[in-house]
């Protein structure tokens, strides 16, 4: 068994990148490695809550912010790009120091572009070989693919063949040799349980869009006939639970609580983020999507899954609670039944 230290560094963009690293961190521990967690903001806070026994380090923030108006999403990102580039350069410098200081033997970076080293095996995790940015998709995809080549391996949390979850995001006609499809990643497991809630609402993603959707859906909940559990996706020091009529509000839940709640809920209302989609597929759940306004990736995934007859969606400005009745007309997401062979993937860190 190895006791090598492996740095696991998810991007702080909502909670999706961090939550899909949970099964990776657990697999590293189960295979005798010592994970070190590195991120910033809510992503780091969430992983510190999940793994209080592990060492955690803070990386520079990419300063990712969403525009209030989805139409300006891309321009907000372009405006923030100097801060992002500065953070990536700082990240590279920090990683060089940490490798020696903490005796790090390998790196797993989930979409952190500067977290790699030529000295030690470095893995990049992404479901986006193509980065959709409207009329600049070609250039954003080429830049991303160029960065991926700097890593020893790129792990795609999806299946290589059709049907798959990520569609054109995670599949190229001529992929590079360092790309490996590892199967969908989820920290959750399906369990036989009695149904407790008619509807589960789970929010995530950066502000201000998370808060805007929370305010909109809180108003809509008064129209829903049935028991609702509403998880706001706000990582705070203490968990808060509030009962308002038929709705139980949580600011956040840990993995065990979320797993139970997903299993206890009939249907799910959420964003169409890729990590959420992987969780829903793992659990075989029926859902309704509200993509983050202006986020091309979430809009593409919502349209793809609706076209395939799996999950309906509505634009944020158009959503009404009666839209949930459409769920009955769709099949819901299904588990691919793929098991990830972690020991084979981790051979990279043993020089095999």
């Amino acid at each position: 068994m190895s006791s090598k230290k492996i740095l696991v560094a998810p991007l702080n963009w909502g909670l999706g990148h961090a939550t899909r690293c949970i099964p990776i961190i657990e697999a590293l521990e189960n295979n005798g490695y010592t994970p070190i967690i590195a991120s910033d903001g809510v992503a780091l806070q969430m992983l510190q809550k999940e793994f209080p026994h592990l060492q955690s380090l803070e990386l520079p923030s990419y300063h990712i912010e969403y525009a209030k108006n989805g139409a300006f999403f891309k321009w907000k990102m372009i405006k923030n790009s100097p801060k992002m580039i500065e953070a990536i350069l700082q990240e590279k410098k920090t990683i060089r120091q940490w490798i020696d200081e903490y005796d790090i033997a390998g790196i797993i970076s989930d979409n952190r572009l500067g977290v790699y080293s030529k000295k030690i095996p470095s893995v990049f995790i992404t479901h986006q070989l193509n980065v959709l940015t409207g009329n600049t998709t070609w250039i954003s995809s080429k830049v991303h693919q160029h960065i991926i080549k700097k890593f020893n391996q790129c792990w795609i949390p999806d299946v290589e063949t059709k049907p798959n979850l990520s569609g054109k995001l995670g599949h190229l006609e001529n992929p590079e040799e360092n790309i490996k499809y590892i199967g969908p990643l989820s920290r959750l497991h399906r369990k036989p349980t009695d149904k407790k809630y008619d509807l589960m609402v789970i929010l995530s993603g950066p502000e201000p869009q998370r808060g805007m959707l929370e305010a909109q859906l809180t108003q809509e909940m008064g129209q829903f006939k049935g028991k609702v559990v509403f998880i706001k996706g706000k990582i705070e020091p203490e968990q808060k639970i509030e009962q308002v009529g038929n709705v139980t509000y949580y600011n956040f839940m840990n993995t065990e609580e979320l797993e139970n709640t997903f299993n206890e809920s009939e249907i799910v209302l959420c964003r169409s983020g890729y990590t959420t989609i992987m969780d829903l597929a793992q659990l075989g759940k029926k859902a309704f999507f509200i993509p983050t306004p202006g986020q091309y990736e979430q809009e593409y995934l919502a349209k793809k899954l609706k076209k395939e007859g799996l999950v309906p969606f509505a634009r944020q400005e158009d959503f009404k609670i009666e839209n949930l009745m459409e769920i009955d007309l769709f099949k819901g997401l299904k588990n691919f039944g793929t098991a990830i062979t972690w020991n084979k993937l981790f051979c990279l860190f043993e020089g095999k």
Side-chain angles (χ1 to χ4, degrees):
M1 293 287 268
S2 173
S3 60
K4 289 180 176 177
K5 292 178 182 175
I6 309 296
L7 189 76
V8 182
L11 182 62
N12 176 32
W13 183 325
L15 293 174
H17 296 282
T19 55
R20 73 185 184 190
C21 283
I22 290 173
I24 297 171
I25 295 165
E26 288 172 344
L28 283 166
E29 288 197 285
N30 292 340
N31 283 271
Y33 294 91
T34 304
I36 297 176
I37 296 159
S39 190
D40 66 283
V42 291
L44 182 60
Q45 290 165 29
M46 195 272 290
L47 289 175
Q48 285 168 334
K49 284 179 188 292
E50 290 288 331
F51 301 101
H53 62 289
L54 290 180
Q55 184 176 11
S56 60
L57 304 169
E58 188 163 5
L59 281 162
S61 171
Y62 279 29
H63 299 285
I64 295 163
E65 295 170 32
Y66 281 8
K68 277 193 173 175
N69 183 332
F72 302 131
F73 174 82
K74 182 163 74 173
W75 304 114
K76 184 86 171 174
M77 294 300 284
I78 290 168
K79 191 181 160 203
N80 283 347
S81 60
K83 288 181 185 172
M84 279 180 71
I85 292 162
E86 192 184 325
I88 291 162
L89 294 172
Q90 186 60 46
E91 222 168 33
K92 286 183 180 179
K93 200 171 147 188
T94 304
I95 294 303
R96 281 198 295 272
Q97 291 169 352
W98 285 356
I99 287 168
D100 295 330
E101 191 178 338
Y102 299 107
D103 191 27
I104 292 165
I107 289 169
I108 299 174
S109 163
D110 188 327
N111 273 267
R112 291 200 85 112
L113 307 179
V115 179
Y116 66 91
S117 171
K118 289 190 167 67
K119 280 181 162 182
I120 58 173
S122 302
V123 174
F124 191 71
I125 297 177
T126 187
H127 61 277
Q128 294 186 83
L129 297 172
N130 286 310
V131 180
L132 306 187
T133 54
N135 57 9
T136 50
T137 291
W138 181 82
I139 186 72
S140 56
S141 298
K142 285 291 173 205
V143 168
H144 205 225
Q145 289 161 29
H146 174 71
I147 291 164
I148 288 167
K149 285 181 194 172
K150 296 178 187 290
F151 290 77
N152 298 87
Q153 288 182 6
C154 175
W155 295 350
I156 313 282
D158 197 2
V159 293
E160 190 170 359
T161 51
K162 288 184 178 177
N164 56 59
L165 292 177
S166 63
K168 69 180 180 185
L169 295 178
H171 298 81
L172 300 174
E173 280 185 26
N174 301 301
E176 293 289 328
E177 282 181 18
N178 70 336
I179 287 168
K180 283 182 179 283
Y181 289 88
I182 66 171
L185 271 175
S186 177
R187 58 182 168 152
L188 307 176
H189 304 90
R190 193 169 184 169
K191 292 176 176 174
T193 178
D194 293 334
K195 287 290 170 277
K196 191 171 168 185
Y197 303 105
D198 299 293
L199 172 65
M200 174 184 185
V201 180
I202 181 162
L203 304 185
S204 61
E207 299 295 357
Q209 288 294 346
R210 190 216 59 80
M212 288 163 72
L213 184 58
E214 180 193 325
Q216 182 180 336
L217 293 181
T218 301
Q219 274 195 317
E220 288 287 322
M221 284 307 114
Q223 315 292 316
F224 187 80
K225 305 286 184 278
K227 284 189 78 176
V228 182
V229 60
F230 192 125
I231 302 130
K232 298 177 182 180
K234 288 170 80 172
I235 302 295
E236 293 171 330
E238 297 295 320
Q239 188 184 62
K240 293 176 195 145
I241 307 167
E242 187 187 4
Q243 188 72 38
V244 181
N246 59 332
V247 187
T248 310
Y249 290 94
Y250 286 79
N251 51 349
F252 70 90
M253 284 185 176
N254 65 26
T255 295
E256 189 183 349
E257 291 167 331
L258 267 179
E259 183 174 85
N260 290 336
T261 306
F262 265 110
N263 280 295
E264 290 166 349
S265 300
E266 194 66 42
I267 57 173
V268 182
L269 175 61
C270 54
R271 294 290 194 199
S272 49
Y274 190 68
T275 300
T276 305
I277 289 168
M278 289 194 291
D279 287 340
L280 293 167
Q282 169 88 349
L283 299 169
K285 298 304 286 188
K286 286 198 156 201
F288 193 99
F289 290 142
I290 303 174
T292 302
Q295 196 176 331
Y296 294 97
E297 169 213 352
Q298 288 196 13
E299 289 168 352
Y300 165 75
L301 288 167
K303 284 172 187 167
K304 173 191 183 289
L305 295 171
K306 183 174 184 178
K307 194 176 171 187
E308 291 170 359
L310 301 174
V311 183
F313 80 94
R315 296 191 313 167
Q316 189 162 306
E317 60 266 37
D318 297 337
F319 178 77
K320 290 282 178 283
I321 206 75
E322 51 266 28
N323 292 143
L324 295 178
M325 292 165 75
E326 292 175 41
I327 292 176
D328 287 342
L329 307 171
F330 289 77
K331 289 182 242 176
L333 286 154
K334 292 283 180 283
N335 191 321
F336 284 107
T338 50
I340 299 175
T341 50
W342 292 112
N343 55 347
K344 280 190 184 173
L345 290 172
F346 296 156
C347 280
L348 177 70
F349 303 125
E350 302 301 324
K352 295 173 188 173

